[in-house]
Amino acid sequence: MDFRLDDDQIALRHAVRGLSERHFALGAVAAREDAPAADPAWRDLVAMGIFGLLVSDGDETPRNGTVTAAVALEELSAHLATGPILWTTITAPVLTGGEIEAGRVAGVVVVGDAGGPVVIEHATEAEFLVVVHHDRIERVETTSLPEVIAGEPSDPLTPTVAYESVPRGDVISGPDEARTIRLAGTVLAAAQLVGVAQGALDVAAAYALERHQFGVPIGSFQAIKHLLSDMYVRVELARSSTFAAAAILDDERGGDAARAAGAAKLLAGQAGIDNGRAAVQILGGMGFTWEMLPHYFLKRAWVLEQSFGTAEFHALALGVALGAGVVKA
Amino acid sequence: MDLTYSAEDEEFRAQLRTWLDTAVQRQSPPPPPGDWPARRAYDTQWQRTLYDAGYAGLHWPVAFGGRGLPVSQQLVYLEEYARANAPYISVNFVGLMHAGPTLIAEGTDEQRAFHLPRILTGESVWCQGFSEPGAGSDLASLQTRAVRDGDHYIVNGQKIWSTRAHVADYCELLVRTDPDAPKHKGITWLILDMHQPGVDVRPMRTIDGESHFCEVFLDDARVPVSNRVGEENDGWRVTNVTLRFERGTAFAQHVITLRSQLRKLVDVAQDTPAVGGGTAWDDAEFRRHVGRLDASVDALWRMTQMGIADTERTGMPARSGSAVKLRYSEITQEIADLLLRTVGRAALAGVPGPAADAMREYLWSLQYTIAAGTSQIQRNLIAERILGMPR
Ligand SMILES: Cc1cc2nc3c(=O)[nH]c(=O)nc-3n(C[C@H](O)[C@H](O)[C@H](O)COP(=O)(O)OP(=O)(O)OC[C@H]3O[C@@H](n4cnc5c(N)ncnc54)[C@H](O)[C@@H]3O)c2cc1C
């Protein structure tokens, strides 16, 4: 039992922060709109080993790999990093070494045949797609995809397209790997949401100290303080839940993985969206402009909320599981 | 980061579980609400039982009579204690959770040697005499006066909302020793013996018709100088030590009990017929609501675990304890509110069973956003002390 990050994980956090400041500076966010992640940034992510964090070394499964990946993805996300980072990370274990080096992987989870368009982030910058079904994983070549449905992505930092449908691809793995990828995706999407929630809090807190009205910083008004402290509570709660879920994925003797992942995603989604909105409010009229950062955080939060199960989906699953477990007297 | 328990932890769990199962079963039913002398006897007897079995003060250092167990086993203890539905800590709360820890951190050797064993065995019960009619959130404006008279302080003033003071032996008493100093600089932290002339305890009727707390009138009460914790006029610093424990880790047991509170809600919902057939539980929105609560309950427990681990490392609960306290109080109220809605009109007539309990629990839950620093105060603290907003 140990709740702390180890020294390597703390060192990685610093390194990722350095990388983020070089390639994903928040001050230069507008330059990254509607574009794939720049090649130098992607190369540095590859070089830092981010996409190998979940990959086994021979027979050795990486100790604490999900926790380490959560550290990295949270930090990148707090800087609104671009590129298919999540899917490239979680699919690496089912792809062969060569394909990982080949680069960017986009993906999507398909639940039954829900119908309607299939919406995929980063599909246009990916080498190929990975489609996760309930019982299998397929690899789909981008050349086999139909025309994209014309539209404008809601998040300027997440190029996202819709297709009427996605063709069948080659089955590359079975149900166990499909479950593993879904769980890892759920927890790491939660980690990214924690990063978004923290980033929104940092932006709002900095503005609250800088912006003066009535002759004082707006951060001295209690109404603003309470918005900020609620942001803090949401992010702390979501982070605890997310890192606990990551540790459980790394060693399932620590708890119920599906339940922990669902709880983390639910809380992190709330933290991401609510903190994004609160940041808009705290920045006032400037918060409503494209120029300032809050809208980027809010829009990214919605992208992640709609991935790997929405809050409603996880809430129902958790409720049903709890109900099934109540032992009648 | 590793959330698994070691083989030793699991062995500790197995022994504890076996012991708790029998011990809890042997307990007589708790006394009826409102019978405070009986409650005291019940709670202190249970504390003695824990002590005799070696399960008292697991989180206290060995040097002070505790077991000094590693964090993992403290957590196992909390989990198993809740699972066994063992008696609520109740009258032992102040002593075990913040008075004892304050003495460990700040007391003299004599104070520790005298009080700590008595707290652990359940021999003495503590209460908290911080708030006054004019000093609640603004605690530092307290007016109860203590004047030095040789090796005693003579104390005059009034305390209020002092929980279970009617059955307490000692009190964490804050007094003003220098009325001319700035308000934070003239306060002293004293140990008050409740059984002495000049201490008049009057129970107040609380929102649920019971009397959970009291007014305490002090009229020339004498407190030996040797009962001072910390230096004269340095009491505000000591107070903050007490509050860090009270708002930090003291709620651990409460947090884990949220799980059974939530299970009980589900249980009641599954037994409550719904209009148009089925039960309240069949409503998907109800299940989602419970699911959302479940996620928060789980996360609060994770934060509590991390807080306990932090305390172990640094000796003091982290400031983020305020976040746990804040969210705990909201979640416990939300569950109580949902339970009250679920039992419906039967609660209005106090129909014995889940309905009457639901109203009592609902009213009781309202205290959590007030006591130990209101939620507004917690939010101020988080914004100012953690996020650096101007005062
Ligand atoms: C069940 C229960 C048990 C208690 N047990 C004890 C005990 O054992 N010992 C003890 O000493 N005390 C105890 N208390 C007292 C408790 O600590 C105080 O009630 C609490 O600190 C609030 O003080 P107050 O009641 O004077 O409210 P006030 O301070 O008058 O506050 C009234 C309202 O104003 C708000 N408010 C006040 N100041 C601010 C501010 N700066 N910013 C924003 N809002 C503000 C508060 O949040 C609250 O909503 C207990 C209280 C309860 C309800």
Side-chain angles (χ1 to χ4, degrees):
Chain A
M1 177 88 31
D2 184 0
F3 296 102
R4 275 170 305 171
L5 298 178
D6 65 28
D7 292 344
D8 291 346
Q9 289 164 337
I10 292 168
L12 179 71
R13 165 164 286 165
H14 288 296
V16 173
R17 189 169 298 162
L19 183 152
S20 301
E21 278 157 11
R22 275 198 313 283
H23 292 299
F24 303 115
L26 284 172
V29 72
R32 301 201 300 278
E33 284 182 20
D34 304 315
D39 285 335
W42 195 260
R43 268 200 302 277
D44 279 2
L45 287 169
V46 173
M48 198 173 270
I50 302 299
F51 305 124
L53 288 173
L54 301 183
V55 179
S56 310
D57 183 11
D59 286 341
E60 255 335 82
T61 26
R63 205 190 60 79
N64 235 215
T66 317
V67 172
T68 311
V71 169
L73 267 61
E74 179 195 331
E75 196 62 47
L76 285 163
S77 187
H79 289 82
L80 297 167
T82 40
I85 295 171
L86 176 61
W87 275 93
T88 305
T89 305
I90 62 175
T91 52
V94 298
L95 301 171
T96 62
E99 283 164 325
I100 300 169
E101 275 159 38
R104 312 175 185 202
V105 182
V108 67
V109 176
V110 177
V111 188
D113 39 12
V118 182
V119 175
I120 308 179
E121 298 92 287
H122 308 292
T124 46
E125 73 186 272
E127 245 60 60
F128 55 88
L129 295 189
V130 168
V131 180
V132 177
H133 295 266
H134 180 68
D135 59 347
R136 66 189 189 282
I137 301 174
E138 290 180 5
R139 174 185 164 137
V140 175
E141 300 310 320
T142 38
T143 47
S144 71
L145 290 169
E147 284 280 296
V148 303
I149 303 171
E152 186 73 20
S154 64
D155 174 9
L157 300 177
T158 311
T160 302
V161 289
Y163 302 98
E164 284 303 346
S165 66
V166 170
R168 302 205 62 153
D170 296 333
V171 175
I172 55 172
S173 295
D176 291 349
E177 288 83 1
R179 171 184 181 270
T180 305
I181 284 203
R182 276 196 308 273
L183 285 175
T186 307
V187 171
L188 293 181
Q192 291 185 314
L193 280 160
V194 170
V196 167
Q198 181 70 53
L201 170 56
D202 292 344
V203 165
Y207 191 84
L209 289 173
E210 233 167 62
R211 168 76 174 167
H212 284 60
Q213 284 294 278
F214 302 98
V216 291
I218 58 164
S220 54
F221 302 132
Q222 201 166 53
I224 298 293
K225 285 182 183 174
H226 289 194
L227 285 174
L228 287 167
S229 72
D230 286 343
M231 293 172 86
Y232 169 82
V233 171
R234 282 193 291 266
V235 78
E236 286 295 315
L237 215 63
R239 185 181 286 120
S240 308
S241 185
T242 298
F243 278 93
I248 290 170
L249 253 56
D250 287 329
D251 188 336
E252 293 203 22
R253 291 171 306 169
D256 179 333
R259 193 166 159 260
K265 179 65 172 43
L266 190 163
L267 292 172
Q270 280 173 351
I273 290 172
D274 291 355
N275 281 14
R277 285 184 53 177
V280 171
Q281 182 66 22
I282 289 170
L283 270 71
M286 287 314 290
F288 197 71
T289 66
W290 193 279
E291 181 188 336
M292 301 304 264
L293 287 166
H295 76 105
Y296 293 103
F297 286 106
L298 181 59
K299 291 167 183 172
R300 177 60 68 78
W302 275 108
V303 170
L304 293 164
E305 169 65 15
Q306 296 286 355
S307 309
F308 294 98
T310 61
E312 287 69 31
F313 170 85
H314 290 298
L316 188 60
L318 287 168
V320 168
L322 191 71
V326 169
V327 186
K328 286 281 164 192
Chain B
M1 192 174 286
D2 170 17
L3 300 190
T4 60
Y5 287 105
S6 68
E8 298 90 82
D9 296 340
E10 290 301 348
E11 194 181 312
F12 173 76
R13 183 194 299 279
Q15 281 171 9
L16 174 61
R17 187 176 287 189
T18 315
W19 182 81
L20 272 174
D21 281 347
T22 1
V24 169
Q25 211 158 41
R26 265 201 223 119
Q27 279 295 105
S28 48
D35 186 348
W36 285 99
R39 182 82 225 185
R40 177 191 160 119
Y42 182 86
D43 292 342
T44 53
Q45 170 270 324
W46 171 249
Q47 181 61 27
R48 179 78 213 192
T49 309
L50 288 171
Y51 179 82
D52 288 340
Y55 291 124
L58 302 192
H59 59 298
W60 287 18
V62 179
F64 304 116
R67 289 277 307 275
L69 290 188
V71 172
S72 57
Q73 293 181 15
Q74 295 176 35
L75 298 176
V76 168
Y77 177 80
L78 289 166
E79 289 172 0
E80 290 302 314
Y81 196 90
R83 182 190 160 275
N85 211 357
Y88 174 53
I89 184 169
S90 190
V91 307
N92 300 303
F93 181 80
V94 174
L96 286 167
M97 303 316 289
H98 51 87
T102 302
L103 295 183
I104 289 171
E106 299 289 336
T108 63
D109 289 343
E110 292 73 32
Q111 290 164 355
R112 290 164 173 161
F114 181 85
H115 289 288
L116 297 178
R118 286 173 171 77
I119 292 173
L120 286 178
T121 56
E123 188 180 332
S124 51
V125 168
W126 282 66
C127 66
Q128 183 179 60
F130 280 16
S131 307
E132 297 179 4
S137 299
D138 185 12
L139 181 58
S141 69
L142 60 95
Q143 295 297 332
T144 293
R145 270 290 269 142
V147 178
R148 189 75 176 257
D149 176 27
D151 50 9
H152 280 76
Y153 290 102
I154 313 291
V155 182
N156 283 285
Q158 185 197 340
K159 296 291 170 177
I160 192 168
W161 310 305
S162 192
T163 301
R164 305 183 193 97
H166 30 355
V167 290
D169 305 306
Y170 296 96
C171 176
E172 305 173 323
L173 185 71
L174 295 186
V175 294
R176 183 155 305 281
T177 34
D178 184 352
D180 300 323
K183 66 181 182 178
H184 295 93
K185 302 253 165 72
I187 294 171
T188 301
W189 204 110
L190 298 176
I191 303 169
L192 172 75
D193 182 344
M194 297 292 284
H195 309 293
Q196 63 166 311
V199 178
D200 181 14
V201 179
R202 299 185 203 158
M204 300 172 85
R205 191 153 193 229
T206 40
I207 193 168
D208 51 358
E210 279 207 41
S211 52
H212 294 284
F213 53 42
C214 307
E215 292 174 294
V216 179
F217 294 89
L218 300 158
D219 182 14
D220 284 339
R222 293 176 72 81
V223 179
V225 171
S226 58
N227 276 11
R228 191 182 68 212
V229 178
E231 295 304 310
E232 188 169 294
N233 298 326
D234 192 27
W236 187 248
R237 190 185 58 77
V238 184
T239 301
N240 276 300
V241 171
T242 311
L243 292 178
R244 282 275 281 277
F245 282 106
E246 185 177 2
R247 294 166 185 176
T249 43
F251 277 94
Q253 190 78 65
H254 290 70
V255 168
I256 195 160
T257 307
L258 286 174
R259 282 186 186 169
S260 32
Q261 217 186 321
L262 202 53
R263 287 218 171 82
K264 187 176 145 197
L265 169 65
V266 174
D267 194 16
V268 170
Q270 289 177 343
D271 288 341
T272 304
V275 185
T279 69
W281 183 243
D282 294 331
D283 175 7
E285 194 41 50
F286 190 96
R287 294 180 195 204
R288 275 194 207 102
H289 196 163
V290 167
R292 283 192 294 271
L293 287 164
D294 187 43
S296 290
V297 166
D298 207 58
L300 279 168
W301 176 235
R302 295 301 176 194
M303 271 189 90
T304 304
Q305 291 181 316
M306 294 176 194
I308 291 173
D310 256 16
T311 311
E312 184 78 5
R313 256 196 324 281
T314 63
M316 281 282 268
R319 289 210 186 279
S320 55
S322 274
V324 178
K325 198 269 178 188
L326 188 58
R327 204 61 195 124
Y328 165 80
S329 24
E330 293 168 350
I331 294 289
T332 194
Q333 289 179 354
E334 197 175 326
I335 299 175
D337 179 287
L338 199 52
L339 183 66
L340 185 56
R341 288 173 193 284
T342 305
V343 300
R345 287 173 59 80
L348 306 180
V351 174
D357 290 351
M359 182 56 93
R360 194 173 323 107
E361 280 162 27
Y362 170 82
L363 291 170
W364 171 248
S365 76
L366 301 184
Q367 67 132 332
Y368 287 110
T369 45
I370 303 170
T374 70
S375 292
Q376 288 71 37
I377 295 298
Q378 305 292 351
R379 287 190 169 89
N380 291 349
L381 290 176
I382 289 171
E384 290 163 9
R385 299 201 188 160
I386 300 178
L387 301 176
M389 292 301 123
R391 297 238 163 162

